[in-house]
Amino acid sequence: MNMCTPKKIASSLLLSLTLALPALAQDATEIVRQADLKMRGESSRAEITMKIIRPNWDRSLTIKSWNKGDEYSLMLVTAPARDEGTAYLKRGNEIWNWLPNINRTIKLPPSMMSQSWMGSDFSNNDLVRESSIVTDYTHEIVGDTTISGYDCYNIEMIPTPEAPVVWGKVNVFISKEEYLQLRTEFYDEDSTLMRTMTGSKVEELDGRFIPTYMEMEPTDEPGNKTVLMYNEIEFDIDISESFFSIQNMKRVE
């Protein structure tokens, strides 16, 4: 008869847990990857309304955006008239801003990526995406919860040492069934919550159910928030890398 001692049982359990840890980490990364891919696709084109809300005023922008993978993105402001034609371009690690009112192209340094995009509560990095939530962070499932009726994973994301991000950590809540990114919490290096983004109004656009209403709220500025509303989006479009050029940024409509 094969008898297991308590020491052997404990060693076996420790080995099982050790072997399971890489799988759990990979699962968390794959969940984040699926959520990111669902919102962007291999490529996409979208029309978006942004509303910047302050205690005493608000203003709206309409935006067209295109992306191809993680390397290429282009955003064009189409209204209001005073901002029409303003564009942002990402090609690899380079970010460019076209300002038609002064006929000037500016290359954005990394130090500007954390600054406000067009006076909103989203940063340049949020919309132009210098960093990647998949490759620039480690991921760990730290719990689960329910948001708006969806069972969600709570995944803690810690930036890698070389990542071009300012956050100490990010907590993202992703639904277990549809990989919907329904809440994201951004913390500084002292683990203080700085801002929260929530996703809601899940609708079917181009065959995918996605949150069409994204709301960003800074913690330290009560009454301030910015809303992104997806009016339409097409996924996996045929678009070439040559579309994402400085020349095209100046003339795209």
Side-chain angles (χ1 to χ4, degrees):
M1 185 174 179
N2 184 19
M3 299 293 291
C4 292
T5 66
K7 185 175 181 179
K8 287 182 177 179
I9 292 172
S11 297
S12 178
L13 287 173
L14 180 60
L15 177 61
S16 297
L17 288 172
T18 302
L19 292 173
L21 286 175
L24 288 173
Q26 179 58 43
D27 285 346
T29 299
E30 184 58 26
I31 291 164
V32 173
R33 188 190 312 278
Q34 290 294 332
D36 186 53
L37 186 61
K38 180 152 195 175
M39 282 301 298
R40 297 191 301 114
E42 296 294 342
S43 59
S44 68
R45 182 194 68 81
E47 294 190 9
I48 302 164
T49 299
M50 171 184 278
K51 189 170 186 180
I52 304 168
I53 300 169
R54 298 294 181 258
N56 299 317
W57 58 269
D58 61 69
R59 74 185 187 103
S60 294
L61 303 167
T62 57
I63 304 160
K64 290 183 179 180
S65 73
W66 299 262
N67 85 77
K68 184 179 179 70
D70 292 329
E71 296 296 309
Y72 302 94
S73 68
L74 176 59
M75 298 192 70
L76 172 70
V77 179
T78 58
R82 69 176 183 178
D83 297 310
E84 183 179 2
T86 301
Y88 290 79
L89 170 70
K90 174 186 176 182
R91 285 184 59 90
N93 295 324
E94 295 184 338
I95 312 292
W96 300 86
N97 179 203
W98 165 242
L99 300 169
N101 290 342
I102 58 174
N103 195 34
R104 185 178 177 190
T105 302
I106 300 172
K107 186 176 181 180
L108 300 184
S111 60
M112 287 188 64
M113 294 312 296
S114 62
Q115 295 183 12
S116 168
W117 190 87
M118 300 290 292
S120 73
D121 297 298
F122 288 87
S123 69
N124 288 317
N125 188 58
D126 292 327
L127 297 181
V128 187
R129 289 180 177 270
E130 180 189 27
S131 64
S132 165
I133 64 172
V134 179
T135 60
D136 289 322
Y137 293 86
T138 61
H139 312 91
E140 180 183 359
I141 300 173
V142 294
D144 55 26
T145 189
T146 300
I147 298 177
S148 301
Y150 293 92
D151 291 331
C152 296
Y153 298 105
N154 178 1
I155 297 177
E156 183 179 79
M157 309 199 313
I158 303 297
T160 59
E162 68 280 4
V165 297
V166 298
W167 307 114
K169 71 172 182 178
V170 178
N171 273 20
V172 61
F173 298 81
I174 298 171
S175 70
K176 297 180 179 181
E177 292 295 327
E178 293 283 347
Y179 296 109
L180 305 173
Q181 190 171 329
L182 298 176
R183 181 179 174 90
T184 308
E185 299 171 345
F186 301 86
Y187 295 82
D188 67 12
E189 293 182 348
D190 297 320
S191 294
T192 300
L193 179 63
M194 300 302 295
R195 58 182 192 168
T196 302
M197 183 175 73
T198 55
S200 60
K201 298 185 180 180
V202 176
E203 298 178 10
E204 186 177 3
L205 291 179
D206 198 28
R208 301 187 187 194
F209 285 93
I210 63 170
T212 62
Y213 191 93
M214 312 297 290
E215 198 170 274
M216 184 75 82
E217 293 186 86
T219 305
D220 59 350
E221 297 177 281
N224 286 15
K225 67 179 177 180
T226 299
V227 175
L228 279 183
M229 294 165 280
Y230 285 85
N231 304 316
E232 61 179 78
I233 189 168
E234 293 179 89
F235 294 104
D236 301 329
I237 62 173
D238 184 14
I239 190 168
S240 68
E241 294 176 4
S242 62
F243 177 86
F244 301 92
S245 67
I246 293 176
Q247 293 74 18
N248 197 43
M249 173 179 65
K250 297 178 182 181
R251 62 174 181 252
V252 68
E253 297 180 354

